[in-house]
C-alpha cells in the first residue's frame, strides 16, 4: 500500500531494454593507447626498415650464389664494403636507373641522372586535322591586310601593326638615343633611314637544293601516322597530305586549355611526348610495365605550381607510365642545386614565362615566388614586328608557319643584344628554307631593334599580351580544400602585391587602420611614407608601372638620379629594403587579393620591379638577409643568353636601389654551364642522392594513400 502511494511499485517485466551489449565507460583516470607511440608505427620508418630488409636479403642471395658457383667467400661481416665505396656504387646504380624530366612551355629536357647534359625535345605534338595552324588565321604577328581588286596587298610597314605599336616603338627608340648620348656613345642621325632604304631595295638570291649543304630533311607523313612528337613534328610541311596541326600542351607555364576540348586528351598528349622522348632520345627499349618499373623518375615542377597539375603528373608517372618510384622538386630549388648556391634569388627567363624565387638554406621561400607571363617568345614576336616596321625584306613572315617560327627564333638568338656598344647599322644575312621550294638567301640591315626587343622585359608595354588568358579554367578547375571548400593552391604575397598593383580595383581587403609613424634609422624618413601598406592598391597606369604619390619624399629624392631605360624616375624604394635593425619586424600581412580573382589578371610587370618585390617579401625587413639575396642573384633560362642581359639588369637594379648599389651582384651559372639546363642538372643531382632523399613515392604507397602521400613525401608544405 505504501509503494502505491509514493510511486515505487515495479511495473516492468524484468526484461532488458535492448539486446545489444552495453559498453561500459572506460576509467578516465587510468587508460593508455599506443597510437604513434613507437617508431615502427611511422610510415617513413617502416619503409626504411623494409628497404634495409630487402638489402639484407639481396646480400644473402649474392652470398649464396657465390658459394654455389664455387667462389671463395669470406665471413659474413667481411661482405660489407667500405661506407664511401658503397655510397659511390649506390649513387652510380641509382643514376643509371633514374630518369630526370623537366617540362617547359617550349622544350622538354629529359635524360638519365648520370648524364652530363640532357636531351632537348620540343614540347609539341602534331595530330591529324583538317587545317594546319598557319591556315586558321592570318598568323602572328597578325598582319593587317586590305583587299584590292587585284588581290591582297600588304599595307605600308609602318602601319602594319597599328598606330599604337608604332608610337611605342618610336618612343623607345628616342629614349635609347637619349641614353646613348648621355653615355657618350656615337649616334648617327640618319641610321633608321639607312636601314629602311637598304631593306626596301634588297632582293633575295636563290640557291638550288643540291648546292645547299645545310638543307633540311622534312618529315614524311605520307603513311598518315596518328601523331608525331618532338622535333619531327616541327619538320612536317604546313601543306602536307594529310594535314597536321601542332598542339603545345603547356603554355605560359600552365596547361594549355585554350586549344583542347578535353582534359584527358590534354594530359594524354603530355604523357605521349614524354614517353616518346624517353624511348627515342634516351634509346631505352621499354615495352612492358615491368621494364618501366625498373626506373625511377624525378619530375621538375614550377615554384608557383598548381596542385591538380602535380597530382596528375604523379598519376601519370606511377599509374600510366609505370615508373617504380617518383619524386618532385621545384625549379628554383633544382637551380640552386645545379649552381651550388645555398642562399640566392633565382630569375628564370623561360620561353613563355618568367619566374622569380628566393631560396634559403635549401628551401624555397614561399612568399617570394613571382610568376610573370612573358619570356623569349614575346621577345621573338616583338623583334619580328620591329624588323618588319623597318621594311624587312621577307615581309610575308608568319610565326604560325613552322619553318618561319624556327627561322625567327634563330635570328633572335643570333642578333639580339643588350649591349649599347653593339648598336649601329649592321648588315646580316639569313637563309630561308621552306618545304617544296629552293633555298633563298636574304640580306638585311638592322639598327636598334636588336636591343629594343629584349628590352620588352623591362618595358612590357611593347609586348603583345592578347589571348594569354583565353580558355583559362575552361577544362580544369582550381584545387579546393575538402574540409572548408576554399581554394588551396599555393599562394605568394609577392605575387599578390604585383597583381594588386596591376589591377587595384581587384583588391578586396579593407584599408588598414592608420599606424603611428616610425622614423627610419637610416635617413630619418617616416616609415609610412617610405613603405605604403601593401593592402592599399597603388594607383598605377595600365602598363603596370607603379607610380608614387606626389607627396612621397623618396620619389622626390630619386628624381635627380639618372635612371636606365625601363625604370621610372619616380619609382619608390621598397620599405623593407631600408628597414633598420632597430625596427621590430611587423607581423606578416594577409594577401590583399582574393584567390578567385587572380586568374582574371594577367601578371605582366617590369622585371626589375618584380625582382625587388620578391626580395622584399623574402627578407621580411632583415637588412642582412636583403644584402645576402641582392649579392647572390642568378639569372638562368634560355632568354638569359641574350648578350649583355646580366650587365643591363645589374645596372638597372643598382639605379633602382642606390643604397644597395655595392651589394647588388648578378651572376651566371658557374663552370660555364648552359643557363638552359641548370634546373635539369640540379634535379639530376637530387635524384642521385639515394641515402638522403626520402621524398620518393612508390606504387605501393600511392595505391594506398593516393595523392595524400604528397603531404608526407614532399620537401615543402603541401
Amino acid at each position: 500500500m505504501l509503494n502505491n502511494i509514493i510511486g515505487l511499485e515495479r511495473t516492468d517485466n524484468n526484461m532488458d531494454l535492448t539486446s545489444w551489449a552495453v559498453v561500459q565507460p572506460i576509467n578516465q583516470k587510468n587508460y593508455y593507447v599506443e597510437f604513434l607511440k613507437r617508431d615502427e608505427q611511422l610510415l617513413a620508418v617502416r619503409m626504411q626498415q623494409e628497404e634495409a630488409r630487402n638489402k639484407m636479403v639481396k646480400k644473402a642471395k649474392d652470398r649464396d650464389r657465390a658459394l654455389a658457383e664455387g667462389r671463395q667467400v669470406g665471413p659474413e661481416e667481411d661482405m660489407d664494403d667500405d661506407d664511401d665505396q658503397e655510397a659511390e656504387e649506390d649513387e652510380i646504380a641509382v643514376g643509371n636507373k633514374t630518369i630526370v624530366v623537366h617540362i617547359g612551355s617550349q622544350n622538354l629536357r629529359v635524360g638519365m641522372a648520370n648524364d652530363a647534359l640532357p636531351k632537348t625535345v620540343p614540347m609539341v605534338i602534331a595530330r591529324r586535322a583538317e587545317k594546319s595552324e598557319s591556315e586558321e588565321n592570318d598568323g602572328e604577328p597578325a598582319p593587317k591586310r586590305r583587299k584590292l581588286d587585284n588581290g591582297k596587298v600588304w599595307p605600308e610597314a609602318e602601319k602594319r601593326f597599328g598606330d599604337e605599336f608604332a608610337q611605342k616603338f618610336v618612343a623607345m627608340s628616342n629614349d635609347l638615343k637619349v641614353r646613348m648620348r648621355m653615355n657618350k656613345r656615337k649616334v648617327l642621325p640618319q641610321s633608321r633611314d639607312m636601314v629602311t632604304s637598304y631593306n626596301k631595295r634588297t632582293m633575295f638570291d636563290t640557291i638550288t637544293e643540291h648546292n645547299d649543304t645545310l638543307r633540311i630533311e622534312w618529315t614524311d607523313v605520307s603513311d598518315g601516322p596518328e601523331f608525331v612528337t618532338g622535333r619531327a613534328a616541327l619538320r612536317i610541311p604546313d601543306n602536307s597530305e594529310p594535314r597536321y596541326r601542332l598542339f603545345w600542351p603547356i603554355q605560359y607555364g600552365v596547361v594549355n586549355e585554350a586549344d583542347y576540348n578535353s582534359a584527358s586528351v590534354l594530359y594524354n598528349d603530355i604523357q605521349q611526348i614524354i614517353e616518346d622522348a624517353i624511348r627515342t632520345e634516351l634509346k631505352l627499349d621499354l615495352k612492358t610495365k615491368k621494364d618501366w618499373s625498373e626506373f625511377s623518375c624525378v619530375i621538375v615542377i614550377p615554384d608557383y605550381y598548381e596542385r591538380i597539375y602535380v597530382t596528375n603528373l604523379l598519376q601519370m608517372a606511377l599509374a600510366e607510365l609505370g615508373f617504380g618510384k617518383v619524386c618532385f622538386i621545384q625549379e628554383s630549388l633544382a637551380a640552386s642545386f645545379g649552381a651550388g648556391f645555398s642562399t640566392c634569388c633565382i630569375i628564370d627567363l623561360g620561353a613563355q614565362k618568367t619566374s622569380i624565387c628566393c631560396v634559403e638554406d635549401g628551401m624555397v621561400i614561399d612568399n617570394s615566388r613571382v610568376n610573370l607571363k612573358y619570356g623569349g617568345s614575346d621577345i621573338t614576336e616583338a623583334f619580328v614586328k620591329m624588323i618588319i616596321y623597318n621594311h624587312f625584306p621577307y615581309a610575308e613572315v608568319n610565326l604560325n608557319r613552322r619553318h618561319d617560327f624556327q627561322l625567327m627564333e634563330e635570328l633572335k638568338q643570333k642578333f639580339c643584344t643588350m649591349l649599347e656598344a653593339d648598336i649601329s647599322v649592321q648588315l646580316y644575312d639569313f637563309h630561308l628554307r621552306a618545304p617544296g621550294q629552293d633555298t633563298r638567301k636574304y640580306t638585311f640591315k638592322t639598327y636598334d631593334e636588336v636591343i629594343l626587343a629584349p628590352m620588352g622585359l623591362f618595358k612590357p608595354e611593347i609586348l603583345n599580351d592578347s589571348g594569354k588568358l583565353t580558355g583559362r579554367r575552361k577544362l580544369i578547375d582550381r584545387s579546393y580544400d575538402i574540409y572548408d571548400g576554399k581554394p588551396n593552391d599555393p599562394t605568394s604575397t609577392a605575387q599578390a602585391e604585383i597583381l594588386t598593383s596591376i589591377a587595384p580595383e581587384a583588391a578586396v581587403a579593407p584599408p588598414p587602420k592608420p599606424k603611428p609613424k616610425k622614423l627610419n634609422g637610416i635617413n630619418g624618413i617616416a616609415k609610412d611614407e617610405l613603405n605604403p601598406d601593401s593592402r592599399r592598391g597603388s594607383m598605377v597606369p595600365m602598363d603596370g608601372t607603379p607610380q608614387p604619390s606626389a607627396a612621397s619624399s623618396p620619389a622626390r629624392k630619386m628624381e635627380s638620379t639618372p635612371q636606365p631605360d625601363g625604370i621610372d624616375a619616380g619609382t619608390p624604394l621598397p620599405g623593407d629594403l631600408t628597414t633598420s635593425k632597430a625596427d621590430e619586424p611587423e607581423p606578416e600581412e594577409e594577401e590583399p587579393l582574393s584567390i578567385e580573382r587572380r586568374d582574371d589578371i594577367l601578371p605582366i610587370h617590369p622585371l626589375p620591379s618584380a625582382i625587388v618585390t620578391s626580395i622584399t617579401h623574402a627578407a621580411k625587413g632583415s637588412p642582412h638577409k636583403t644584402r645576402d639575396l641582392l649579392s647572390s642573384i642568378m639569372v638562368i633560362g634560355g632568354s638569359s643568353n641574350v648578350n649583355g642581359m646580366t650587365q643591363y639588369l645589374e645596372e638597372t637594379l643598382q639605379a633602382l636601389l642606390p643604397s644597395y648599389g655595392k651589394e647588388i651582384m648578378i651572376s651566371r651559372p658557374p663552370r660555364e654551364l648552359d643557363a638552359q639546363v641548370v634546373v635539369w642538372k640540379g634535379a639530376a643531382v637530387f635524384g642521385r642522392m639515394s641515402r638522403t632523399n626520402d621524398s620518393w613515392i612508390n606504387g605501393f604507397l600511392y595505391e594506398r594513400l593516393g595523392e595524400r602521400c604528397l603531404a608526407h613525401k614532399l620537401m615543402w608544405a603541401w
Side-chain angles (χ1 to χ4, degrees), residues 86-124:
E86 184 178 357
E88 183 178 356
E89 292 178 355
D90 288 346
E91 182 177 339
I92 295 176
V94 169
N96 289 331
K97 291 292 184 178
T98 301
I99 299 175
V100 183
V101 176
H102 181 200
I103 303 174
S105 300
Q106 187 167 312
N107 291 310
L108 167 71
R109 290 181 173 85
V110 60
M112 307 301 296
N114 281 344
D115 293 343
L117 294 174
K119 305 293 184 181
T120 300
V121 181
M123 190 66 188
V124 63

Side-chain angles (χ1 to χ4, degrees), residues 5-17:
I5 295 175
I6 62 177
L8 298 179
E9 182 181 4
R10 184 185 182 95
T11 58
D12 60 4
N13 53 5
N14 201 24
M15 296 181 65
D16 294 334
L17 297 177

Side-chain angles (χ1 to χ4, degrees), residues 36-46 49:
L36 295 182
K37 294 294 184 181
R38 297 192 304 269
D39 291 343
E40 292 80 4
Q41 296 174 336
L42 299 177
L43 177 64
V45 175
R46 292 207 314 270
Q49 291 177 348

Side-chain angles (χ1 to χ4, degrees), residues 383-666:
F383 177 67
V384 172
K385 288 182 177 180
M386 291 177 181
I387 60 178
I388 290 178
Y389 185 90
N390 288 342
H391 296 269
F392 188 58
Y394 180 43
E396 59 271 20
V397 58
N398 181 352
L399 288 183
N400 273 352
R401 283 202 294 259
R402 294 149 197 173
H403 59 274
D404 284 351
F405 169 75
Q406 298 179 73
L407 173 63
M408 292 300 110
E409 284 284 333
E410 181 183 353
L411 296 185
K412 178 198 69 174
Q413 297 172 6
K414 285 184 177 180
F415 305 141
C416 282
T417 180
M418 294 294 289
L419 297 177
E420 295 179 359
D422 298 339
I423 304 305
S424 61
V425 178
Q426 299 284 347
L427 178 63
Y428 298 114
D429 63 77
F430 68 92
H431 294 77
L432 173 63
R433 296 178 175 91
Q437 66 182 31
D438 292 334
T439 302
R440 298 178 181 179
K441 181 181 179 181
Y442 287 88
T443 59
F444 70 104
K445 286 187 176 182
T446 64
Y447 178 48
D448 56 358
E449 55 267 38
V450 294
I451 190 174
L452 295 182
M455 202 176 288
L457 302 180
F458 302 82
K459 287 188 175 182
E461 60 270 13
I462 196 66
L463 303 179
N464 180 23
D465 57 359
S466 60
K468 292 187 176 182
L469 292 179
T470 303
R472 186 71 170 138
R473 302 299 180 191
K474 182 182 73 172
L475 303 176
I476 303 171
D477 197 5
R478 57 174 62 88
S479 176
Y480 293 94
D481 190 90
I482 60 175
Y483 297 106
D484 56 14
K486 296 180 179 179
N488 59 354
D489 279 329
T491 58
S492 170
T493 55
Q495 181 81 359
E497 180 178 337
I498 289 177
L499 295 179
T500 305
S501 67
I502 296 173
E505 67 277 2
V508 297
K513 297 179 180 179
K515 301 177 182 179
K517 292 185 177 181
K518 296 186 294 184
L519 291 181
N520 186 277
I522 297 178
N523 50 18
I525 302 176
K527 186 176 181 180
D528 284 350
E529 296 179 358
L530 190 62
N531 181 25
D533 198 303
S534 62
R535 289 175 179 259
R536 295 191 295 267
S538 57
M539 299 303 296
V540 297
M542 294 306 293
D543 60 357
T545 306
Q547 300 289 337
S549 60
S552 176
S553 55
R556 292 196 301 267
K557 287 191 175 184
M558 293 187 66
E559 285 178 357
S560 59
T561 305
Q563 303 292 331
D565 289 343
I567 298 301
D568 193 348
T571 304
L573 291 177
D576 288 341
L577 293 179
T578 54
T579 304
S580 64
K581 295 182 180 180
D583 293 336
E584 297 180 359
E586 297 180 0
E588 185 175 338
E589 299 175 352
E590 298 180 358
E591 297 188 39
L593 192 67
S594 63
I595 298 178
E596 290 78 5
R597 294 295 307 275
R598 290 178 197 162
D599 292 334
D600 301 332
I601 304 173
L602 183 63
I604 300 292
H605 201 67
L607 181 61
S609 179
I611 296 173
V612 171
T613 302
S614 175
I615 295 179
T616 298
H617 287 264
K620 295 182 180 179
S622 171
H624 177 70
K625 186 181 295 186
T626 300
R627 292 187 179 91
D628 289 345
L629 293 175
L630 288 175
S631 61
S632 56
I633 299 176
M634 185 173 65
V635 182
I636 61 174
S639 301
S640 66
N641 289 331
V642 176
N643 191 21
M645 175 68 74
T646 303
Q647 298 90 322
Y648 187 87
L649 181 58
E650 184 173 333
E651 294 174 2
T652 306
L653 288 175
Q654 290 174 351
L656 184 61
L657 302 172
S659 57
Y660 287 90
K662 296 182 179 179
E663 285 85 3
I664 296 175
M665 182 179 299
I666 300 180

Side-chain angles (χ1 to χ4, degrees), residues 34 57 78 93 151 200 350 424 482 490 534 621 667 674:
E34 294 186 354
V57 171
D78 294 340
K200 283 180 181 179
S424 61
I482 60 175
S534 62
S667 60
D674 187 2

